[in-house]
Amino acid sequence: FAEFDDAANLLAANPDATTISIDEPVEIPKNQRSRLQEPGREEDDELLGTDDSDKTELLAGQKKSAPFWTFEYYQTFFDVDTYQVLDRIKGSVFPVPGKNFVRLYIRSNPDLYGPFWICATLVFTIAVSGNLSNFFIHLGKPTYHYVPQFRKVSIAATAIYAYAWLVPLALWGFLMWRNSKVMNIVSYSFLEIVCVYGYSLFIYIPTAILWIIPQKVVRWVLMMFSLCLSGSVLVMTFWPAVRDDNRRIALATVGTIILLHALLAVGCLAYFFDAPELDFPAPISPTHNGTTVITKS
Amino acid sequence: FAGLADVSISEDIPVEGEITVPVGSRSPDEDYSTLDEPVRDTIMRDLKAVGKKFVHVMYPKKSSTLLRDWDLWGPLVLCVSLALMLQGGSADSKDDGGPQFAEVFVIIWFGAVVITLNSKLLGGTISFFQSLCVLGYCVLPLTVAMLVCRLVLLAGSGTVSFIIRLIVVIAMFGWSTLASTAFLADSQPPNRKALVVYPIFLFYFVISWMILTFTPQ
């Protein structure tokens, strides 16, 4: 047990040194943990995740060591197992109030698998569901001729991939800029922001499938519901990052995030899904020369 | 070798014998030189290889022939014929019709490349072109489905023909997905198999959707 004595001696000599413990995090001395956090920010514990968030911070710097022109560098972004991807999807669909999606699920292992394939699935789901719903809405009409509308797939792909990659880029740039002015406790890397946005889009996949139902009320209720769920994931992720800033800027940032998210949903619904027409029974309006004119709205 | 430790060879015993190298088969160079054979033999050999792979796809069982001797002729032929058969769909305007030839081509090849990259990034051990080869060859059932759909549509385009087409396309989609996972699944790390199989499922689903929604003029 000589190594333990050495470690204890080193720690006694330099109590501020950070230590990595392989065992359960309860063995990290309490005085050291409180030194790493400012006093009075206990609520960060819940938002930052469980105790081993310290450990993941320490381990984060050691992960991506391959140079960026090798294949292994990109393999580090796909270092997830099936159950991890399923966990992250579950976390985005059932947001736990008060828990930060990034700290709880991503934990310094952002992956590109989820965002890429969720966006791909969403593109095809929206195009296929829109096509199907238009088919059912116009089914009985004699003048309707079914067309696959394949061009809409490329439009959907452009819109969704632009949203899922450019908005995180802009948001990351904005947070970096604010970080240089105001010291924030919580800051995210670009990949973590891409991850959150990608996984938060998952709820729109079943929503798009359910949008086939040609009822306006049903569609808008579904949209509100999914907007609340994915919006809350985004808000709970980014609120701690802007909370320390000027109040108005923080609110404006979170508001813009929600607004863009809502714009995406509304835009998809309006463009890909035709409005379900309601056939009113024709009102009979007598004209001045006595004949009745039946109008169909 | 313990018994040989005390064997000593004295220098005055002559060692005699014959050393001959039996010349049995021809040297390996002559087997692989294909410059002198007739062109017909060359073409037939490649065609037979492609045909054998088609048979492997239709009856997928674990064999490494498809993986070992990959070629991209089969996928090219299948892709071009599928794209050609998807032409001639109705369109009110240029924007509303079915996929253009270039779109089908790009979807199949770009989709196959992306899936291959995905499986390699997740830690798969299969090589790039082997995976492209498998994904391309497994489009064969869907090409057969497209052929059947066009024939059914010649007979009529009512509800009955739609149901027949739906059943055929779903069956062939299942066949394609099962065939490609049978070939590709073994090369993936075990706890990521679902992550690799799902994009393949999505890929063949999109192709099946294009086939099913084909409406003639």
Side-chain angles (χ1 to χ4, degrees):
Chain A
F1 295 98
E3 304 92 62
F4 283 46
D5 291 341
D6 287 343
N9 289 339
L10 283 174
L11 199 56
N14 188 7
D16 281 336
T18 53
T19 56
I20 301 175
S21 72
I22 314 295
D23 296 326
E24 286 307 302
V26 294
E27 290 178 15
I28 298 176
K30 282 280 188 261
N31 55 355
Q32 201 163 27
R33 256 193 54 216
S34 61
R35 231 187 289 271
L36 290 176
Q37 299 171 356
E38 287 177 19
R41 292 271 186 190
E42 281 80 18
E43 64 267 21
D44 277 350
D45 271 355
E46 285 90 40
L47 289 173
L48 288 176
T50 58
D51 291 334
D52 51 349
S53 64
D54 297 346
K55 195 167 63 174
T56 54
E57 294 289 340
L58 297 171
L59 289 174
Q62 304 166 12
K63 258 196 43 165
K64 300 172 179 44
S65 53
F68 70 91
W69 55 83
T70 58
F71 194 69
E72 284 73 27
Y73 176 74
Y74 298 100
Q75 265 185 327
T76 58
F77 302 140
F78 283 77
D79 193 17
V80 278
D81 293 335
T82 309
Y83 76 91
Q84 281 177 312
V85 172
L86 291 175
D87 267 347
R88 290 174 186 194
I89 291 178
K90 230 177 359 182
S92 78
V93 175
F94 304 117
V96 178
K99 293 282 188 194
N100 188 331
F101 179 77
V102 174
R103 288 289 172 245
L104 198 55
Y105 289 103
I106 310 286
R107 286 184 178 284
S108 309
N109 186 19
D111 69 306
L112 286 181
Y113 177 90
F116 184 78
W117 287 109
I118 291 178
C119 288
T121 312
L122 187 61
V123 164
F124 289 113
T125 310
I126 285 192
V128 168
S129 307
N131 204 234
L132 267 181
S133 114
N134 291 350
F135 174 69
F136 285 131
I137 285 177
H138 300 290
L139 187 49
K141 304 211 179 74
T143 56
Y144 178 69
H145 187 65
Y146 170 74
V147 284
Q149 288 179 320
F150 200 75
R151 197 53 55 94
K152 292 202 168 177
V153 171
S154 16
I155 297 176
T158 315
I160 289 177
Y161 272 100
Y163 177 79
W165 292 83
L166 293 183
V167 172
L169 184 66
L171 187 60
W172 174 74
F174 177 76
L175 287 178
M176 284 292 120
W177 175 58
R178 294 311 299 178
N179 243 354
S180 66
K181 300 200 161 196
V182 176
M183 195 54 214
N184 278 333
I185 279 228
V186 179
S187 71
Y188 299 119
S189 72
F190 171 62
L191 283 171
E192 287 172 346
I193 302 184
V194 166
C195 238
V196 173
Y197 264 87
Y199 280 105
S200 74
L201 285 177
F202 177 81
I203 186 70
Y204 286 125
I205 295 176
T207 309
I209 298 178
L210 288 175
W211 272 343
I212 297 180
I213 303 174
Q215 297 292 329
K216 236 186 169 82
V217 173
V218 168
R219 285 180 177 178
W220 279 93
V221 163
L222 281 171
M223 158 121 77
M224 286 294 128
F225 182 63
S226 57
L227 188 60
C228 284
L229 274 183
S230 58
S232 67
V233 169
L234 290 177
V235 166
M236 281 195 290
T237 305
F238 289 111
W239 181 246
V242 293
R243 181 175 48 192
D244 304 321
D245 208 341
N246 185 355
R247 199 81 189 165
R248 279 194 293 179
I249 293 189
L251 287 176
T253 311
V254 173
T256 312
I257 293 176
I258 300 181
L259 185 67
L260 285 173
H261 213 63
L263 266 180
L264 179 78
V266 170
C268 283
L269 180 60
Y271 185 71
F272 293 100
F273 294 83
D274 284 348
E277 296 166 14
L278 304 165
D279 285 307
F280 300 114
I284 301 174
S285 56
T287 61
H288 63 276
N289 56 1
T291 56
T292 57
V293 174
I294 299 179
T295 56
K296 199 169 162 87
S297 62
Chain B
F1 291 99
L4 294 177
D6 49 358
V7 170
S8 60
I9 302 180
S10 59
E11 285 157 330
D12 52 354
I13 300 180
V15 178
E16 302 184 336
E18 275 190 28
I19 302 177
T20 54
V21 177
V23 180
S25 58
R26 291 178 287 168
S27 67
D29 282 338
E30 292 177 45
D31 274 337
Y32 292 95
S33 159
T34 55
L35 270 179
D36 296 329
E37 64 178 13
V39 174
R40 204 179 90 104
D41 280 356
T42 316
I43 295 181
M44 286 312 291
R45 185 173 50 237
D46 279 341
L47 278 181
K48 278 206 203 113
V50 169
K52 206 153 66 142
K53 290 207 193 54
F54 279 157
V55 170
H56 272 292
V57 168
M58 293 315 272
Y59 301 105
K61 50 186 199 302
K62 293 268 155 56
S63 90
S64 55
T65 317
L66 201 70
L67 294 182
R68 221 180 25 231
D69 308 319
W70 61 267
D71 75 272
L72 293 179
W73 283 113
L76 181 68
V77 164
L78 288 173
C79 178
V80 167
S81 54
L82 186 63
L84 280 177
M85 282 197 277
L86 278 170
Q87 296 308 298
S90 69
D92 294 337
S93 71
K94 205 169 76 71
D95 284 344
D96 269 356
Q100 303 293 315
F101 183 93
E103 284 172 342
V104 177
F105 218 80
V106 162
I107 282 188
I108 291 185
W109 287 102
F110 189 61
V113 165
V114 165
I115 293 178
T116 307
L117 277 180
N118 176 63
S119 79
K120 283 190 77 70
L121 282 168
L122 281 170
T125 54
I126 201 170
S127 98
F128 183 77
F129 284 107
Q130 281 173 349
S131 170
L132 274 188
C133 167
V134 169
L135 287 169
Y137 269 103
C138 290
V139 173
L140 175 67
L142 286 169
T143 310
V144 169
M146 182 74 220
L147 197 60
V148 170
C149 281
R150 280 213 88 146
L151 292 175
V152 167
L153 279 169
L154 280 179
S157 59
T159 313
V160 172
S161 96
F162 175 71
I163 293 186
I164 297 178
R165 283 186 289 142
L166 183 68
I167 294 177
V168 167
V169 168
I170 289 182
M172 291 298 157
F173 161 63
W175 200 335
S176 278
T177 311
L178 286 176
S180 59
T181 43
F183 287 115
L184 289 179
D186 283 340
S187 62
Q188 306 305 323
N191 48 350
R192 295 180 183 182
K193 276 210 170 62
L195 295 184
V196 173
V197 169
Y198 172 69
I200 300 178
F201 170 87
L202 187 66
F203 176 62
Y204 289 125
F205 178 80
V206 170
I207 299 181
S208 316
W209 175 255
M210 289 196 294
I211 293 176
L212 189 59
T213 59
F214 174 77
T215 47
Q217 297 216 324

